[in-house]
Every structure is written in C-alpha cells, then in structure tokens.
C-alpha cells in the first residue's frame, strides 16, 4: 500500500507543479500590447458615447425649457424694441416647431428616442467587440 500511496503522492506533486506555474508563451508581450491598445481604443468610443448622450441631454433640456414657456416669460420682462424682437422670435419658433401638430403625443417621441438610443448603444457595443 505504501508504494501505491507514494506513487500517488508523486503523481499529485507533478500535477500541482504543472498547474502552479503557467506556461510562458513566446508572444506574451505582443498579446499584452494588443490588449492595451484595445483598451485605449475603447476610451475613444466611450468619449464618443458620452458626447452623444450629452448632446441628447441638451436637446431634452431645450425641449423642456420651451415647454415651460420660458420665451413667454422673457417677453413679458422685455421693454420697447426688445419686446418686438422677442415676439418675432417666438412667432418664428411656433411656426417652425411642428411637434404639437403631430398625430401622436410626446410619449411616442420619447419612446422613439429611447429606442434609437438603445440601438445606438447596441451598435457601439458590437463595434467595440469587433474592433
């Protein structure tokens, strides 16, 4: 029995030794530099995503400001010639802003914007994985 247990211990020691030290690959430095480059490229895409979401947030902020009738409040504060300029600006915005005349409500617009944002995130994720 002791001979078999000694053989088993020797075999076990060999296995432990084999799996404790990972093999050294010839292209380990190349692999590390490739991974580093891929991670650095990801920062460019992340910056693009952050900029795009900032732009979307700005558009949402502008739409919210317009919804609170900020232009009307500014018009009520203005005097004389400025009042005429602001009223023309408001009239121009109202004629060119066709969102209230659409056959669907704001919920449809928000849903479309959300789905477009989600599609953009999926596309960017796919591009990052392939790049």
């Amino acid at each position: 029995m002791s001979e078999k247990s000694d053989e088993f211990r020797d075999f076990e020691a060999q296995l432990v030794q084999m799996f404790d030290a990972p093999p050294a690959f010839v292209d380990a430095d190349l692999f590390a530099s490739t991974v580093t480059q891929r991670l650095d490229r990801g920062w460019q895409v992340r910056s693009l995503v952050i900029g795009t979401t900032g732009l979307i947030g700005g558009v949402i902020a502008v739409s919210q400001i317009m919804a609170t009738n900020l232009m009307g409040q500014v018009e009520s504060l203005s005097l004389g010639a400025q009042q005429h300029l602001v009223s023309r600006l408001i009239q121009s915005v109202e004629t060119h802003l066709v969102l209230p005349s659409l056959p669907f409500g704001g919920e449809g617009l928000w849903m479309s914007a959300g789905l477009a944002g989600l599609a953009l995130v999926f596309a960017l994720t796919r591009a990052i994985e392939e790049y």
Side-chain angles (χ1 to χ4, degrees), residues 15-77:
L15 282 178
V16 168
Q17 183 180 13
M18 286 173 44
F19 287 104
D20 273 350
F25 292 105
V26 178
D27 62 342
D29 293 332
L30 177 64
F31 176 76
S33 67
T34 304
V35 170
T36 303
Q37 287 175 353
R38 290 180 95 183
L39 289 173
D40 289 341
R41 280 190 233 144
W43 282 109
Q44 294 171 353
V45 174
R46 288 180 192 116
S47 298
L48 178 67
V49 170
I50 290 170
T52 303
T53 55
L55 180 66
I56 291 170
V59 169
I60 292 170
V62 167
S63 68
Q64 291 296 318
I65 288 172
M66 291 184 73
T68 60
N69 196 15
L70 181 66
M71 291 297 206
Q73 293 175 0
V74 169
E75 181 182 8
S76 68
L77 295 175

Side-chain angles (χ1 to χ4, degrees), residues 76-123:
S76 68
L77 295 175
S78 63
L79 301 171
Q82 293 175 349
Q83 186 175 12
H84 179 68
L85 179 64
V86 172
S87 67
R88 288 185 64 199
L89 178 64
I90 291 173
Q91 186 180 26
S92 174
V93 168
E94 288 175 350
T95 58
H96 292 92
L97 186 65
V98 296
L99 291 177
S101 64
L102 292 175
F104 47 84
E107 296 86 10
L109 291 175
W110 285 114
M111 180 73 71
S112 300
L115 290 174
L118 191 61
L120 178 67
V121 169
F122 283 139

